[in-house]
């Protein structure tokens, strides 16, 4: 039984490149982002990984990343479930704003609190805690059963939706998880025990 869970943050998006708050805005990958997603697939292929099912968000940057990975491992037609439960954190009134402009408007300290605190949401948006409140139940009810049946599961999603998952899998505190940086297009491979605890974790960088 493999009981393998692979998490991948989408490749660089157009708004990552422009330094804009993206959240639920549906923006595409850059050329670099497409390249990062294909490279993620190549790394997983080199490990001999084959997937039984894939999950992604309702946003195109994660969906295209997922498809690039499946193409690379020779599973282009694999069943892929899309759900907004895996969407990026909703940045509310910050969405679409340049991060430097937001600092000018609200002050550097306030914007830092919104970006890097665990439970303080920006106006009209979600905190990381709020994001976890939708991500974790979805994982428990929809993703984890596949993994515990011995399947290999791919999740292509977003920085904050994946942080919420990693927080629970790794047993991190809110203070610890907000400091975690997730590279675009970098696969994280978990192997779970039968009781759903983590047996091993590997980050496929470089």
């Amino acid at each position: 039984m493999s009981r393998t869970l692979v998490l991948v943050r989408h490749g660089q998006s157009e708004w990552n490149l422009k330094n804009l708050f993206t959240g639920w805005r549906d923006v595409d990958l850059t050329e670099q982002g497409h390249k990062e997603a294909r490279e993620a697939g190549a790394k997983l292929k080199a490990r001999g990984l084959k997937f039984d099912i894939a999950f992604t968000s309702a946003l195109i940057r994660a969906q295209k990343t997922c498809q690039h990975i499946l193409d690379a491992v020779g599973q282009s037609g694999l069943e892929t479930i899309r759900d907004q439960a895996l969407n990026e954190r909703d940045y509310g009134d910050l969405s679409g704003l340049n991060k430097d402009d937001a600092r000018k408007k609200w002050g550097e300290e306030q914007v830092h609190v919104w970006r890097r605190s665990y439970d303080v949401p920006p106006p009209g948006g979600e905190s990381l805690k709020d994001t976890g409140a939708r991500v974790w139940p979805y994982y428990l009810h929809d993703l984890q059963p596949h993994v515990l049946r011995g399947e290999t599961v791919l999740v292509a999603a977003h920085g904050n939706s994946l942080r919420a998952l990693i927080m629970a899998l790794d047993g991190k505190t809110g203070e610890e998880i907000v400091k975690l940086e997730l590279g675009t297009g970098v696969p994280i491979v978990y192997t779970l025990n039968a009781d759903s605890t983590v047996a091993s974790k590997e980050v496929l960088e470089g």
Side-chain angles (χ1 to χ4, degrees):
M1 278 199 166
S2 70
R3 287 197 291 266
T4 301
L5 174 67
V6 177
L7 309 180
V8 186
R9 182 185 174 194
H10 62 78
Q12 183 192 63
S13 75
E14 292 170 348
W15 282 15
N16 290 147
L17 182 62
K18 293 177 180 177
N19 200 34
L20 305 179
F21 286 101
T22 312
W24 284 42
R25 300 289 181 87
D26 204 9
V27 301
D28 209 340
L29 297 175
T30 60
E31 282 305 311
Q32 176 67 23
H34 287 288
K35 181 173 180 282
E36 289 171 348
R38 288 191 290 267
E39 288 175 348
K43 290 173 187 174
L44 295 167
K45 181 181 180 181
R47 296 300 175 101
L49 282 170
K50 289 285 186 180
F51 298 101
D52 294 288
I53 192 168
F55 292 84
T56 189
S57 76
L59 300 171
I60 194 71
R61 58 194 185 274
Q63 292 171 9
K64 287 191 175 180
T65 297
C66 187
Q67 192 58 55
H68 279 312
I69 291 170
L70 294 178
D71 291 346
V73 299
Q75 294 185 280
S76 300
L78 185 71
E79 180 185 3
T80 300
I81 297 173
R82 300 172 177 178
D83 199 291
Q84 69 179 24
L86 293 173
N87 277 16
E88 177 58 293
R89 173 184 169 193
D90 184 353
Y91 278 105
D93 293 354
L94 299 182
S95 299
L97 291 181
N98 182 282
K99 292 172 185 175
D100 292 330
D101 292 341
R103 292 186 189 100
K104 289 174 188 173
K105 181 173 181 179
W106 284 288
E108 186 162 344
E109 186 175 339
Q110 180 63 71
V111 172
H112 180 76
V113 168
W114 287 332
R115 290 188 69 197
R116 293 304 182 196
S117 68
Y118 174 62
D119 57 3
V120 180
E126 294 178 308
S127 65
L128 181 54
K129 183 178 181 180
D130 296 329
T131 306
R134 59 176 162 83
V135 171
W136 189 239
Y138 183 73
Y139 170 76
L140 288 175
H141 295 122
D142 293 77
L143 277 76
Q144 189 186 75
H146 289 277
V147 182
L148 296 184
R149 282 199 295 269
E151 297 179 11
T152 299
V153 176
L154 171 64
V155 180
H158 305 265
N160 284 298
S161 53
L162 293 178
R163 277 190 186 95
L165 267 183
I166 291 167
M167 178 181 177
L169 288 167
D170 292 2
K172 291 185 178 294
T173 66
E175 187 175 317
E176 289 170 335
I177 199 63
V178 295
K179 297 174 183 175
L180 177 68
E181 295 295 335
L182 295 178
T184 49
V186 177
I188 303 172
V189 182
Y190 282 92
T191 303
L192 301 189
N193 295 309
D195 64 358
S196 79
T197 57
V198 174
S200 67
K201 175 186 178 181
E202 185 180 8
V203 182
L204 304 186
E205 295 179 298

